[in-house]
């Protein structure tokens, strides 16, 4: 009997899953395996919000497998050791898994390949599981990756993604392989109270609702902060409970300007993955350095804390930062303006902000988080690296009635309309009536004029 192990990583689904399909086609039984990788914990990447969402995803994956006659094997420890153990216990010949884009994913693949081959077994790494097009599938003439989104998108849009695979009807598994108990969301503390639910079933329900009643107005409403009119599918893409290939096909089938704009965002996701795959160091070092001398974290400590806590005195910045803490998610416009405020206004290193986002974001990943931070900071792929987003103008433009600010900053809920974006303009008693901080910096064209002689050292 030929047995294959399917190692699930960031692809926690049964629909459109090329490694699982290949394993089922080539063997009489499979072992669906997830390893809680010690290296992810050691690297400080196992944030409680993502662990909670992951627990939902694993339970849902296990349920889906049980409905098809199988079940999930869950182990923890070093991923290579654990896979090799399971391979030996099952006497499997092959291991199938999805290709990853990060430096860590590449090292994991290499270590796994070497270890398996030394025992006469094979590793099969499948593209287009985590991204719609594989990194490197389209390249410019003179480089191994695109450094600018617009030409990338032109090439990307001309490619036809592979066909979508259905979920298998049955998953015959090799019995007798021991599993640790699956984690539970309830085992974790320090979670965001408003954290979304994980799992493929939940992802597919959201996707259906989005295609039916959200995507049509996406082009017009994607920047509407109070309207909250984006798909909120990012955690499902991050954990792979939804397939990007399937999303591209189904959005294109829905058609119209909203669908086109949505597909373009999926291409941004692929774009960042192909940059990271070619430049793995971009997760930590400037993609295009501008030799910024960021303020030292000691001199900026008070401002950094105020930013993290949502107490900068700039209402739309504070609203977005509080949304992040409460939900483990933030609207894209909020991410743009809070990141600009930290890097361009307060002149704090993008890595400080990226780290804080990764501690809380349920969709937080190296490709999208670090490269978007670099884009905003002007050290990344933005062709206008000097762009600065003024938080007052951003608030008035994307939250014109102040509804978003009042939702997240209760101290200001008594203020009407757009007045909420400039509470410092209120006079006397009205001003004293709300317990909201004064702005931590004065602005001139979005840039700070530091009040306490805090230099840019
Ligand atoms: C500073 C900063 C940090 C970010 N960190 C992350 C992160 O860690 N993880 C993450 O998935 N996204 C990140 N983004 C991108 C974007 O903000 C989120 O993907 C988006 O807000 C998720 O909401 P949604 O699913 O409703 O998006 P929608 O607007 O519905 O878009 C659909 C999908 O397209 C992809 N997408 C949209 N915008 C981008 C983008 N700019 N870059 C890459 N992919 C995009 C996402 O997968 C998203 O789910 C970041 C953006 C900024 C400015």
């Amino acid at each position: 009997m030929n047995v294959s192990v399917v190692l699930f990583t960031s692809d926690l689904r049964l629909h459109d899953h090329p490694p699982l399909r290949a394993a089922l086609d080539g063997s009489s039984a499979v072992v669906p395996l997830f390893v809680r990788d010690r290296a992810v914990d050691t690297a400080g990447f196992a944030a409680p919000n993502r662990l909670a969402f992951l627990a939902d995803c694993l339970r849902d994956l296990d349920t889906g497998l049980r409905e098809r006659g199988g079940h999930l094997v869950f182990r923890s420890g070093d991923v290579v050791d654990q896979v090799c153990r399971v391979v030996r216990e099952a006497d499997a010949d092959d291991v199938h898994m999805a290709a990853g884009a990060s430096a860590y994913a590449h090292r994991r693949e290499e270590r796994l390949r070497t270890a398996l081959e030394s025992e006469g077994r094979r590793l099969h790494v499948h593209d287009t599981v985590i991204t719609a097009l594989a990194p490197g599938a389209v390249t410019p003439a003179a480089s191994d990756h695109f450094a600018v989104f617009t030409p990338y998108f032109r090439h990307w849009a001309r490619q036809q993604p592979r066909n979508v695979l259905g979920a298998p009807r049955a998953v015959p598994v090799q019995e007798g392989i021991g599993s640790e108990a699956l984690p539970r969301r309830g085992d974790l503390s320090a979670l965001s109270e408003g954290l979304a639910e994980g799992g493929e079933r939940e992802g597919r329900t959201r996707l259906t609702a989005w295609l039916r009643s959200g995507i049509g107005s996406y082009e017009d409403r994607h920047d509407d902060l109070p309207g909250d009119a984006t798909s909120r599918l990012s955690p499902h893409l991050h954990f792979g409970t939804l397939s990007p290939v399937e999303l591209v096909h189904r959005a294109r089938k829905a058609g119209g300007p909203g669908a086109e704009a949505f597909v373009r965002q999926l291409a941004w996701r692929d774009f960042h993955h192909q940059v990271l795959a070619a430049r793995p160091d971009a997760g930590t070092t400037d993609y295009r350095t501008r030799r910024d001398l960021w303020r030292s974290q000691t001199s900026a400590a008070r401002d950094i804390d105020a930013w993290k806590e949502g107490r900068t005195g700039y209402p739309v910045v504070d609203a977005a930062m509080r949304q992040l803490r409460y939900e483990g998610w933030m609207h894209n416009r909020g991410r743009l303006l809070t990141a600009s405020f930290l890097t361009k206004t307060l002149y704090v290193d993008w890595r400080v902000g990226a780290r804080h986002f990764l501690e809380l974001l349920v969709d937080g990943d190296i490709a999208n988080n670090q490269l978007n931070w670099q884009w905003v900071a002007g050290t990344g792929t933005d062709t206008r690296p000097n762009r600065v987003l003024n938080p007052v103008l951003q608030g008035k433009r994307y939250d014109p009635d102040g509804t978003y600010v009042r939702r997240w900053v209760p101290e200001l809920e008594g203020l009407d309309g757009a007045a909420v974006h400039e509470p410092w303009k209120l006079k006397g008693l009205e001003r004293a009536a709300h317990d909201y901080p004064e702005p931590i910096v004065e602005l001139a064209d979005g840039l700070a004029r530091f009040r306490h002689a805090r230099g840019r050292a």
Side-chain angles (χ1 to χ4, degrees), residues 209-288:
W210 170 247
L211 294 172
R212 198 177 44 231
S213 52
I215 200 168
S217 55
Y218 181 74
E219 194 195 17
D220 298 333
R221 298 192 57 211
H222 66 274
D223 265 332
D224 175 355
L225 270 171
D228 200 1
T230 64
S231 70
R232 285 190 178 245
L233 294 178
S234 53
H236 293 284
L237 283 159
H238 173 71
F239 285 94
T241 44
L242 289 176
S243 145
V245 170
E246 182 179 356
L247 257 61
V248 171
H249 279 289
R250 291 183 64 180
R252 283 190 176 148
K253 193 163 167 224
E260 273 173 39
F262 179 72
V263 168
R264 189 179 162 88
Q265 293 314 108
L266 296 173
W268 265 108
R269 187 174 172 275
D270 276 12
F271 172 71
H272 291 315
H273 278 83
Q274 59 97 44
V275 172
L276 187 69
R279 288 278 306 275
D281 58 323
T284 47
T285 54
D286 290 352
Y287 178 72
R288 277 193 190 121

Side-chain angles (χ1 to χ4, degrees), residues 16 30 104 122 152 228 305 313 360:
D16 195 41
V30 299
Y104 174 71
R122 292 175 295 266
Y152 174 74
D228 200 1
D305 286 348
L360 289 169

Side-chain angles (χ1 to χ4, degrees), residues 382-422:
D382 190 1
T383 47
R384 287 171 54 203
N386 296 321
R387 167 189 344 236
V388 182
L389 303 182
N390 179 311
V392 179
L393 300 181
Q394 289 280 306
K396 288 180 176 172
R397 181 161 177 199
Y398 298 110
D399 182 27
D401 297 325
T403 309
Y404 178 73
V405 165
R406 278 187 293 277
R407 187 179 302 155
W408 293 107
V409 186
E411 302 98 292
L412 298 176
E413 66 190 1
L415 302 189
D416 290 334
V420 83
H421 293 299
E422 295 169 293

Side-chain angles (χ1 to χ4, degrees), residues 13-31:
R13 62 176 182 265
L14 295 176
H15 290 81
D16 195 41
H17 198 283
L20 179 60
R21 173 59 65 92
L24 288 171
D25 286 349
S27 357
S28 43
V30 299
V31 182

Side-chain angles (χ1 to χ4, degrees), residues 210 218 222 228-235 237-238 247 261-270 272 329-340 357-358 361-376:
W210 170 247
Y218 181 74
H222 66 274
D228 200 1
T230 64
S231 70
R232 285 190 178 245
L233 294 178
S234 53
L237 283 159
H238 173 71
L247 257 61
F262 179 72
V263 168
R264 189 179 162 88
Q265 293 314 108
L266 296 173
W268 265 108
R269 187 174 172 275
D270 276 12
H272 291 315
W329 185 89
M330 195 199 282
H331 192 285
N332 180 58
R333 180 51 51 184
R335 298 188 204 207
L336 287 166
L337 66 89
T338 54
S340 177
F357 270 34
L358 282 182
L361 278 177
V362 63
D363 62 24
D365 61 46
I366 298 292
N368 291 315
N369 191 57
Q370 312 303 86
L371 289 164
N372 270 298
W373 268 95
Q374 294 227 42
W375 190 90
V376 177

Side-chain angles (χ1 to χ4, degrees), residues 62-83:
D62 184 52
T63 305
L65 287 165
R66 285 180 191 277
E67 286 166 0
R68 292 163 173 85
H71 59 88
L72 183 66
V73 172
F74 174 74
R75 299 276 177 102
S76 46
D78 175 73
V79 64
V80 175
D81 285 355
Q82 291 300 329
V83 173

Side-chain angles (χ1 to χ4, degrees), residues 89-279:
E89 286 166 34
D91 195 18
D93 298 311
D94 299 277
V95 175
H96 293 265
M97 70 182 293
S102 66
Y104 174 71
H106 289 144
R107 272 199 309 278
R108 179 178 61 195
E109 272 166 38
E110 281 319 303
R111 283 183 58 220
L112 206 44
R113 179 169 284 110
T114 309
L116 290 169
E117 284 177 358
S118 73
E119 298 187 17
R121 334 251 183 187
R122 292 175 295 266
L123 177 69
H124 307 268
V125 177
H126 297 260
D127 280 334
T128 65
V129 183
I130 285 165
T131 51
L133 283 196
V138 290
T139 49
S143 171
D144 58 351
H145 73 289
F146 280 95
V148 177
F149 177 71
T150 307
Y152 174 74
F153 182 59
R154 257 199 315 274
H155 286 78
W156 186 94
R158 277 191 222 121
Q159 306 292 314
Q160 180 64 9
R162 63 166 174 77
N163 290 336
V164 177
L165 305 170
R169 280 170 200 271
V171 181
V173 292
Q174 170 82 329
E175 295 298 343
I177 310 298
S179 174
E180 294 168 29
L182 290 176
R184 285 176 190 279
R185 169 185 280 232
D187 299 342
L188 294 152
S189 55
L191 298 183
S192 289
E193 282 175 68
L195 189 70
E197 189 184 331
E200 182 174 18
R201 237 165 279 242
E202 171 65 18
R204 295 191 76 76
T205 305
R206 268 187 185 273
L207 172 60
T208 306
W210 170 247
L211 294 172
R212 198 177 44 231
S213 52
I215 200 168
S217 55
Y218 181 74
E219 194 195 17
D220 298 333
R221 298 192 57 211
H222 66 274
D223 265 332
D224 175 355
L225 270 171
D228 200 1
T230 64
S231 70
R232 285 190 178 245
L233 294 178
S234 53
H236 293 284
L237 283 159
H238 173 71
F239 285 94
T241 44
L242 289 176
S243 145
V245 170
E246 182 179 356
L247 257 61
V248 171
H249 279 289
R250 291 183 64 180
R252 283 190 176 148
K253 193 163 167 224
E260 273 173 39
F262 179 72
V263 168
R264 189 179 162 88
Q265 293 314 108
L266 296 173
W268 265 108
R269 187 174 172 275
D270 276 12
F271 172 71
H272 291 315
H273 278 83
Q274 59 97 44
V275 172
L276 187 69
R279 288 278 306 275

